[in-house]
């Protein structure tokens, strides 16, 4: 603080006097804690305290603190509350905050409301005894003001203004600090003021999701499901956002570890960083890991380590293809088609006989097969499998099957309280069965999140084929909250041609059918020759209207990606490949293919498509500014 000792004492005395006038019933501990909080929020943040004492037999919420770290319901107590008391206080806080609104009709998410219990002295230095609240020691109150920023000043002011008119049983308290000419204003020195302005200026508008949700999203995040549940919907409708908020909700109402997994290798790290900002108190309880990494760790722990030697596996298939290619080569519509047929339709579904293969509905596969063709594909599969067995090799599908067999034979000693599977449409049927075995059918144990339209690997399944009952527990999101209208219109030009379902056979919602919640946005196009690309790409990156760390260059092939990376390197523009992106803030422009960009958010995207001419398109992909 850039205040003299005399000024600090004056401010503290004003806080003491104000509390004596507004809340004379307070005990010594409450007076000390609230005085300290009032001093800290005198010029930054908002503190609301009770207008009257709580009932003697009820442990309530003594204050609400609204600041850059979010909305905190504060209980001051001599000892940790029991579960019944904590639930009562949490319910009280949620009821008070239910009417708080954000931009565009959003509501304050229940999972963005933090229940804090402050204990005397240093008693709180350790783990909280309950998942319903966090404990802080009276001596460690500064930690409350070092939380990851989730709100900027306009947002905190909006919440506080609504609270003034809605919280009849609470009042805002703020002692006035005196300042002499030449003194820094209030409690913040010049460096702190600059940092606060910098945070507010650079805060990504699309991170409003950490505090505010739309009512449908809020309902799904906190709904009680009697068994496995499914969330589907096109890109931009907030499926992963809901999943992360639901993870925090489940963590508060359960004990034990939770699992968040996905097929895409790069996504778990990004979502882990997001969850740490949303719910730092539960970050250690949730494991974020892609499916194959989890399987390798599981099998290693069981004394059955496996390693997929990709080059040797490719050789095994190549030898099988040379032996069996003649009846198949003329039917192959694209290179690698029959390799995918084996990976996704035969092995990915756990098919073990030609008769079973003949009965499979090959959804999304472009070539229809008669009995003779099916037999030819099966011979290719058998030859490939023999080659693997001869060298004691495993491919990715074999590893999933091994893990499923192991798990069925011996379940985990400590089961997961809940399992969330994101981008589920890209997981094979066998992988889905593994996740079902891992989570079970208990209430709120399994949440599947995905979009049939974004399925990268044809040969899809239905949830019913995996034995997962979701009837009556399927949610479809229909409103795009991520993109502004102009950007959404551009994205629809890439709309997938495949049929869209809700992952269990019913008609789904395509990107062309979603509603846009956010007007405006900008799309800029450039067309030119290949030789003109370097200058156009560098000029576009240089003139980006957002920080480079919040923008990405996306291509549709690895070859085109290498060309763009070379252009940026020669121009001295630092970049980060999406394979290494973890979601942590940095100043590097991101680069990757459209497959690697699945599930990620950026404020601006340069989509580079090479054809007879080159098109570079800049898209503003942020959520609406707060």
């Amino acid at each position: 603080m850039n205040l003299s000792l005399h000024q600090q004492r004056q401010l503290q005395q004003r806080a003491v006097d104000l509390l004596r006038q507004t809340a004379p019933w307070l005990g010594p501990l409450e007076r000390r804690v609230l005085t300290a909080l009032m001093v800290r929020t005198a010029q930054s943040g908002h503190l609301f305290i009770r207008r009257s004492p709580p009932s003697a037999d009820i442990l309530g919420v003594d204050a609400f603190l609204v600041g850059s770290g979010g909305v905190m319901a504060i209980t001051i107590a001599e000892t940790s509350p029991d579960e019944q008391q904590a639930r009562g206080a949490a319910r009280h806080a949620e009821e008070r905050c239910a009417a708080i609104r954000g931009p565009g009709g959003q509501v304050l998410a229940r999972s963005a409301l933090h229940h804090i219990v402050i204990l005397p002295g240093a008693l709180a230095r350790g783990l909280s005894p309950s998942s319903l609240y966090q404990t802080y020691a009276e001596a460690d109150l500064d930690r409350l003001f070092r939380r990851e920023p989730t709100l900027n000043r306009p947002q905190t002011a909006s919440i506080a203004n609504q609270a003034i008119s809605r919280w009849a049983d609470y009042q805002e308290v703020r002692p006035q600090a005196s300042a002499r000419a030449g003194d820094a204003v209030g409690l913040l020195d010049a460096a702190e003021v600059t940092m606060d302005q910098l945070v507010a200026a650079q805060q990504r508008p699309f991170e409003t999701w950490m505090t505010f949700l739309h009512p449908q999203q809020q309902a799904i995040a906190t709904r009680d499901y009697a068994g496995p549940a499914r969330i589907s919907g096109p890109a931009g409708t907030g499926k992963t956002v809901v999943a992360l908020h639901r993870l925090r909700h489940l963590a508060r109402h359960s004990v034990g570890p939770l699992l968040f997994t996905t097929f895409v290798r790069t996504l778990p790290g990004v979502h882990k960083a997001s969850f740490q900002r949303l719910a730092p108190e539960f970050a250690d309880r949730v494991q974020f890991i892609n499916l194959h990494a989890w399987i390798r760790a599981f099998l290693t722990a069981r004394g059955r380590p496996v390693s997929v030697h990709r080059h040797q596996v490719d050789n095994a298939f190549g030898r099988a293809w040379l032996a069996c290619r003649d009846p198949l080569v003329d039917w192959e519509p694209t290179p690698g088609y029959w390799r995918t047929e084996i990976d996704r339709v035969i092995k990915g579904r756990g098919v073990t006989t030609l008769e079973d293969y003949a009965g499979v509905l090959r959804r999304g596969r472009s070539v229809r097969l008669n009995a003779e063709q099916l037999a030819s594909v099966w011979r290719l599969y058998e030859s490939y499998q023999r080659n693997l067995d001869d060298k004691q090799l495993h491919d990715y599908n074999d590893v999933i099957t091994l893990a499923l067999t192991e798990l069925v034979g011996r379940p985990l000693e400590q089961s997961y309280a809940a399992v969330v599977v994101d981008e589920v449409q890209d997981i094979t049927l066998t992988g889905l069965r593994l996740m079902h075995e891992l989570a079970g059918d208990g209430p709120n144990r399994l949440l599947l999140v995905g979009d049939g339209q974004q399925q990268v690997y044809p040969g899809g399944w239905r949830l019913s084929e995996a034995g997962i009952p979701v009837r009556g527990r399927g949610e479809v999101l229909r409103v795009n909250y991520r993109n502004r209208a102009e950007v959404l219109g551009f994205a629809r030009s890439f709309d997938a041609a495949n049929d869209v379902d809700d992952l269990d056979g019913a008609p789904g919602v395509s990107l062309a059918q979603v509603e846009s919640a956010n007007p405006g946005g900008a799309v800029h196009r450039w067309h030119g020759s290949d030789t003109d690309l370097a200058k156009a790409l560098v000029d576009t990156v240089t003139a980006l209207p957002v920080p480079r760390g919040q923008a990405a260059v996306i291509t549709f092939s690895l070859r085109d990606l290498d060309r763009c990376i070379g252009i940026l390197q020669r121009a001295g523009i630092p970049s980060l490949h999406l394979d290494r992106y973890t979601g942590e803030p940095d100043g590097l422009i991101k680069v990757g293919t459209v497959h690697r960009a699945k599930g990620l958010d950026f404020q601006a995207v340069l989509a580079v498509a090479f054809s007879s001419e080159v098109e570079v398109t800049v898209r503003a992909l942020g959520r609406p500014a707060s």
Side-chain angles (χ1 to χ4, degrees):
M1 296 181 188
N2 194 22
L3 291 176
S4 68
L5 182 61
H6 175 69
Q7 287 174 305
Q8 294 180 44
R9 287 174 176 171
Q10 280 188 321
L11 182 60
Q12 184 168 354
Q13 186 58 51
R14 289 191 179 95
V16 170
D17 293 341
L18 184 56
L19 277 181
R20 185 179 294 115
Q21 297 169 15
T22 56
W25 64 84
L26 293 174
L29 175 61
E30 290 93 337
R31 283 199 302 271
R32 292 197 308 268
V33 170
L34 292 176
T35 297
L37 293 178
M38 289 171 69
V39 169
R40 288 167 172 80
T41 58
Q43 292 293 328
S44 177
H46 304 266
L47 183 68
F48 296 82
I49 67 170
R50 278 184 171 275
R51 292 184 182 274
S52 59
S55 301
D57 59 339
I58 296 178
L59 185 70
V61 175
D62 297 301
F64 284 92
L65 175 62
V66 182
S68 63
V71 180
M72 288 167 265
I74 294 176
T75 296
I76 306 168
E78 296 287 347
T79 59
S80 297
D82 59 30
E83 287 294 296
Q84 183 177 356
Q85 292 173 320
R87 290 188 188 281
R91 186 163 51 249
H92 172 89
E94 290 174 358
E95 289 171 353
R96 294 303 179 277
C97 294
I100 300 296
R101 295 279 167 172
Q106 295 172 318
V107 297
L108 183 69
R110 290 184 189 176
S111 49
L113 176 60
H114 305 279
H115 186 198
I116 307 296
V117 174
I118 299 177
L119 301 176
L123 291 179
R125 289 177 178 166
L127 295 176
S128 297
S130 170
S131 61
L132 294 175
Y133 58 84
Q134 295 172 264
T135 56
Y136 281 73
E138 178 188 357
D140 294 335
L141 291 180
D142 282 340
R143 288 173 50 214
L144 285 174
F145 299 87
R146 294 198 298 267
R147 295 172 67 94
E148 182 78 23
T150 59
L151 295 173
N152 57 30
R153 287 195 173 189
Q155 291 170 330
T156 59
S158 173
I159 293 173
N161 288 336
Q162 294 179 67
I164 290 171
S165 62
R166 296 179 185 275
W167 294 349
D169 48 349
Y170 288 85
Q171 58 184 323
E172 185 172 14
V173 288
R174 183 189 297 276
Q176 295 300 314
S178 61
R180 299 191 304 263
D183 285 337
V185 177
L187 297 178
L188 302 178
D189 60 24
E192 289 175 309
V193 172
T194 301
M195 181 56 68
D196 185 77
Q197 292 171 340
L198 184 64
V199 169
Q202 292 187 343
Q203 185 178 26
R204 288 178 278 185
F206 49 78
E207 287 198 341
T208 297
W209 68 266
M210 293 180 67
T211 303
F212 298 104
L213 293 177
H214 282 260
Q216 183 194 11
Q217 295 175 320
Q218 163 78 338
I220 296 172
T222 58
R223 187 161 292 157
D224 189 31
Y225 293 106
R230 181 217 69 226
I231 301 175
S232 64
T237 53
K239 299 183 297 297
T240 302
V241 165
V242 172
L244 292 176
H245 278 269
R246 183 159 182 80
L247 264 179
R248 185 182 188 275
H249 173 78
L250 294 174
R252 289 188 65 198
H253 295 84
S254 67
V255 294
L258 300 95
L259 175 66
F260 182 104
T261 189
T262 180
F263 180 81
V264 183
R265 177 172 57 83
T266 51
L267 283 183
V270 175
H271 295 326
K272 178 180 180 180
S274 296
F275 188 76
Q276 286 176 327
R277 294 195 295 272
L278 172 68
E281 66 273 26
F282 298 123
D284 292 340
R285 280 186 56 197
V286 183
Q287 182 182 16
F288 289 85
I289 188 170
N290 77 80
L291 176 62
H292 286 290
W294 185 93
I295 290 172
R296 288 196 300 272
F298 168 69
L299 289 175
T300 298
R302 291 291 178 90
R304 302 188 62 183
V306 294
S307 179
V308 177
H309 300 283
R310 184 61 183 268
H311 180 68
Q312 296 180 46
V313 170
D314 289 344
N315 283 341
F317 182 82
R319 287 185 281 114
W321 176 245
L322 288 175
C324 305
R325 68 188 298 275
D326 289 345
L328 294 171
V329 66
D330 292 337
W331 306 333
E332 187 170 41
T334 56
Y337 183 87
W338 300 117
R339 176 80 177 268
T340 302
E341 178 79 8
I342 291 173
D343 282 343
R344 306 298 298 191
V345 180
I346 297 177
K347 301 189 74 170
R349 286 174 164 268
V351 175
T352 57
T353 68
L354 175 57
E355 290 73 21
D356 288 343
Y357 179 40
V360 169
L361 293 176
R362 300 167 56 254
R363 299 180 184 89
R365 303 296 288 163
S366 59
V367 177
R368 293 186 177 183
L369 302 179
N370 57 34
E372 179 183 353
Q373 294 166 330
L374 286 167
S376 296
V377 176
W378 192 257
R379 284 191 292 271
L380 174 63
Y381 156 69
E382 289 182 319
S383 177
Y384 169 52
Q385 195 60 45
R386 281 195 301 271
N387 291 341
L388 292 177
D389 293 341
D390 289 345
K391 299 291 185 179
Q392 296 184 321
L393 296 172
H394 299 93
D395 62 16
Y396 286 117
N397 284 298
D398 295 329
V399 173
I400 294 175
T401 300
L402 285 172
L404 178 57
T405 302
E406 176 69 24
L407 189 64
V408 170
R410 182 156 60 101
L412 295 179
E413 292 182 6
Q414 182 182 24
S415 62
Y416 288 102
V419 176
V420 175
V421 185
D422 197 18
E423 301 290 348
V424 69
Q425 73 278 351
D426 291 334
I427 291 178
T428 63
L429 183 61
T430 304
L432 193 60
R433 288 170 177 154
L434 173 65
M435 293 294 99
H436 185 207
E437 185 69 28
L438 194 61
D441 288 328
N444 302 316
R445 297 294 297 272
L446 179 61
L447 178 66
L448 305 171
V449 182
D451 172 18
Q453 190 175 26
Q454 295 185 65
Q455 190 174 66
V456 174
Y457 308 97
W461 36 255
R462 299 286 183 262
L463 293 178
S464 55
E465 295 177 76
I468 301 178
V470 294
R471 184 177 296 276
R473 297 186 296 274
E475 311 282 0
V476 180
L477 298 175
R478 303 172 182 274
V479 180
N480 182 292
Y481 304 115
R482 176 193 298 161
N483 310 123
R484 293 188 179 273
E486 290 296 320
V487 177
L488 181 59
F490 175 82
R492 284 170 174 154
S493 67
F494 295 93
D495 214 4
N498 56 295
D499 294 333
V500 182
D501 62 46
D502 68 349
L503 303 179
D504 205 27
V509 177
S510 70
L511 192 63
Q513 296 172 304
V514 301
E515 304 172 27
S516 174
N518 311 307
V523 173
H524 308 285
R525 288 179 171 86
W526 174 86
H527 297 268
S529 67
D530 196 351
T531 56
D532 295 329
L533 171 63
K535 182 178 185 305
L537 183 59
V538 171
D539 288 348
T540 304
V541 170
T542 303
L544 279 172
V546 302
R548 289 183 187 175
Q550 299 168 22
V553 174
I554 303 299
T555 69
F556 297 87
S557 74
L558 289 171
R559 182 177 64 89
D560 295 342
L561 179 63
D562 290 340
R563 296 168 71 178
C564 290
I565 290 174
I567 291 172
L568 296 176
Q569 288 176 339
R570 287 189 291 274
I573 298 175
S575 63
L576 178 68
H577 199 289
L578 288 180
D579 281 346
R580 299 188 297 276
Y581 178 50
T582 64
E584 294 297 329
D586 57 43
L588 305 178
I589 192 165
K590 310 304 180 294
V591 292
T593 63
V594 66
H595 286 180
R596 282 291 181 234
K598 277 170 59 71
L600 300 178
D601 278 350
F602 299 101
Q603 282 185 294
V605 168
L606 284 68
V608 185
F610 291 81
S611 57
S612 55
E613 60 180 357
V614 177
E615 175 180 300
V616 179
T617 305
V618 181
R619 296 186 279 163
L621 287 184
R623 290 187 175 89
S626 309

